[in-house]
Amino acid sequence: MSIDIKNIHKRFGEFTALNDVSFSVNSGELATLLGPSGCGKTTLLRIIAGLETSDTGRIYFDGTDVTDTPVQQRGIGFVFQNYALFRHKTVAQNIAFGLELLPKHQRPTGGEIDKRVAQLLDLIQLPHTKDRYPHELSGGQRQRVALARAIATNPKLLLLDEPFGALDAKVRKELRTSLRQIQKDIGITSIMVTHDQEEAVAVSDTIVIMNHGVVEQLGKPDELFARPNSEFVVDFLGL
Ligand SMILES: Nc1ncnc2c1ncn2[C@@H]1O[C@H](COP(=O)(O)OP(=O)(O)OP(=O)(O)O)[C@@H](O)[C@H]1O
Ligand SMILES: [Mg+2]
């Protein structure tokens, strides 16, 4: 599914959080929103999700205007830094959560759910953790489970807000590599927020560099390195 974000404006009172933000993500590609704290990344992701409304601007999924479509009908999977797993559910129950919530005519049978959970556990390379509880996992393992839970229902779009933010550098690197692998394997269009330029370069098809609510520059990582168009981009990419 392709995503088009057109002329999004968002104010909180007098404060302009997003000022005429536009960009597109091709089907099956991963875009990152990269920028300093407070530049509007989470706000924009929440607007794309339908968790927040924009003041003006439109959002299109595969050319269809979804600006007024409620979050539940947008077909999105989420992984958030603080979107913790359910503590009293096992890994398998966490992953199955979204499947159990599907409307009756779409809901898989118990056997089908078990099969799907096993398949996802293989995908995140944690088959042996099925019956564990979140506190019995490492931070990195928990975020893998969160990813499996997010993609269990085959959403058309995956949104990730600093998914590795709480992890140490080594685990972060491992996880971004496996996220990218899984994202490519299943071909899911994805938008990830990060303030880590190295992470953005390592995983992205497109990087959208934001500053104070505007898009400073966007492009493929090598294009940004070859032709940064402002001092801010030069600084932010550490050139
Ligand atoms: N509900 C709100 N009410 C008022 N101001 C808000 C609200 N949500 C966000 N803001 C402000 O909008 C700006 C952008 O916030 P946002 O959370 O999108 O930043 P961010 O780029 O995700 O930052 P970080 O990297 O720290 O997560 C900030 O200045 C924030 O204080
Ligand atoms: Mg944020």
Side-chain angles (χ1 to χ4, degrees):
M1 185 168 80
S2 65
I3 314 294
D4 291 294
I5 314 291
K6 302 242 197 229
N7 310 107
I8 297 290
H9 288 80
K10 177 69 180 177
R11 292 169 69 143
F12 294 110
E14 289 299 290
F15 177 77
T16 299
L18 296 171
N19 189 0
D20 202 26
V21 170
S22 299
F23 66 92
S24 298
V25 187
N26 294 327
S27 184
E29 292 198 341
L30 189 156
T32 47
L33 308 178
L34 175 67
S37 184
C39 73
K41 304 180 297 293
T42 294
T43 304
L44 180 55
L45 206 69
R46 287 174 55 82
I47 289 171
I48 296 168
L51 294 166
E52 183 87 71
T53 54
S54 60
D55 299 330
T56 56
R58 311 303 298 178
I59 296 180
Y60 301 87
F61 288 179
D62 263 349
T64 301
D65 189 335
V66 297
T67 315
D68 301 315
T69 304
V71 54
Q72 311 87 329
Q73 288 166 32
R74 291 194 190 193
I76 295 175
F78 301 96
V79 181
F80 291 147
Q81 178 181 345
N82 298 318
Y83 191 36
L85 297 174
F86 304 112
R87 290 169 50 210
H88 301 296
K89 290 184 191 288
T90 64
V91 165
Q93 288 165 347
N94 266 281
I95 295 174
F97 181 74
L99 296 166
E100 314 262 14
L101 283 187
L102 288 171
K104 211 166 185 184
H105 63 282
Q106 287 175 26
R107 199 183 313 145
T109 63
E112 286 163 353
I113 290 180
D114 290 346
K115 240 166 122 180
R116 176 76 178 136
V117 167
Q119 182 195 18
L120 286 158
L121 282 166
D122 281 342
L123 190 70
I124 58 169
Q125 298 179 326
L126 290 175
H128 53 287
T129 64
K130 178 169 155 294
D131 297 319
R132 288 203 213 162
Y133 286 87
H135 74 269
E136 298 169 313
L137 301 175
S138 71
Q141 289 171 335
R142 267 181 236 154
Q143 285 307 80
R144 282 179 201 264
V145 175
L147 176 63
R149 185 176 60 180
I151 61 179
T153 56
N154 287 316
K156 301 241 168 58
L157 173 64
L158 178 63
L159 299 179
L160 309 109
D161 193 350
E162 301 267 4
F164 317 133
L167 306 172
D168 70 48
K170 181 166 171 286
V171 178
R172 251 184 115 106
K173 277 194 183 170
E174 286 167 14
L175 271 193
R176 78 187 187 207
T177 307
S178 51
L179 166 71
R180 179 59 159 163
Q181 195 62 55
I182 290 170
Q183 182 267 330
K184 278 188 170 171
D185 283 353
I186 64 177
I188 188 169
T189 310
S190 305
I191 304 176
M192 179 174 98
V193 165
T194 180
H195 57 252
D196 180 338
Q197 60 91 10
E198 195 201 319
E199 185 166 286
V201 170
V203 301
S204 308
D205 294 298
T206 301
I207 301 179
V208 180
I209 299 187
M210 295 177 63
N211 186 23
H212 292 307
V214 301
V215 174
E216 283 275 342
Q217 189 173 359
L218 57 84
K220 296 193 171 78
D222 52 344
E223 289 168 3
L224 294 175
F225 278 103
R227 284 180 293 280
N229 68 4
S230 67
E231 271 307 304
F232 176 82
V233 172
V234 169
D235 265 2
F236 208 76
L237 292 177
L239 299 175

